[in-house]
Amino acid sequence: FGNGTDVYTHGILFFVNLTSPSHHNRMNHLFPDSLLIQENSTDKELIIPFVFKWSQHLQSYGVNGKSYNPHRLDRVLYLNQIEEWILVAPPEVKTAHPFHLHTNHFQIVRVEPPLPSHLQHLLEPGSWRDTILIPVASNVTIRFLPRDFTGPSLAHCHVFVHEDLGMDFSFN
C-alpha cells in the first residue's frame, strides 16, 4: 500500500484472545448503557441531528458534497455532549458504503427504511459499533458520546479506494 499507511508488514503485531465469556462484561464500563432516548423525553431536545451524506459523481467521492481536504476541519464536537448523526446513502450513490468512525464507538438508533427481517441483525438499534454498512437509498441514525479525546479524528468510507478519492470527514 505504500509509505504513510497503517499497514504493518513485519510479522504478527499482537494477538487478541476473546474466548472468555466474561470479556464482554468487563468491557461494559467503557460505554453508557444506552444513548437511546424515548421519543417523548425532554432530553431529546438537547440533541441536534447532523446529516452526514455520502456523495459520489464519476470519480469524485466525498461527504456532504465535499471531497476530503486534510487542511479543513469539517465539524467540531464537544466533550460529554451526545452527537446524533444521520448517515445518508442517497439513491444516486449506486453502491453501499461502509461507514467507519475513529475514536468513538457509536450506538445505532434507527434505520430507514427498515431492513428486511432476515437482515435486521446487521443494523440492530441499540447495538454498539465502530463500522457499519449504509445500504443504498437509506439512512442510519447513530449516537455517540465524545468523552475525553479532543484531538483531530476522522469518519470515512471503509473502502480504501473511496477513502483515497475523498470520502473522508474530519472532526475535532
Side-chain angles (χ1 to χ4, degrees), residues 1-9 164:
F1 295 131
N3 291 334
T5 68
D6 58 357
V7 177
Y8 184 74
T9 60
D164 288 348

Side-chain angles (χ1 to χ4, degrees), residues 104-165:
N104 299 284
H105 287 82
F106 56 84
Q107 190 169 34
I108 298 171
V109 176
R110 75 180 136 292
V111 180
E112 295 178 10
L115 293 176
S117 59
H118 69 285
L119 297 175
Q120 288 178 357
H121 68 281
L122 298 174
L123 293 171
E124 185 176 350
S127 62
W128 287 94
R129 308 288 178 84
D130 69 350
T131 306
I132 55 174
L133 186 66
I134 309 301
V136 175
S138 68
N139 64 66
V140 178
T141 301
I142 63 169
R143 288 190 185 134
F144 61 96
L145 183 64
R147 289 189 178 196
D148 54 14
F149 183 73
T150 58
S153 198
L154 198 63
H156 60 88
C157 177
H158 225 273
V159 174
F160 289 132
V161 69
H162 297 170
E163 181 181 356
D164 288 348
L165 291 172

Side-chain angles (χ1 to χ4, degrees), residues 11 15 40-41 57 62 73 107 170:
F15 283 105
N40 59 359
S41 171
H57 180 71
L73 180 63
Q107 190 169 34
S170 64

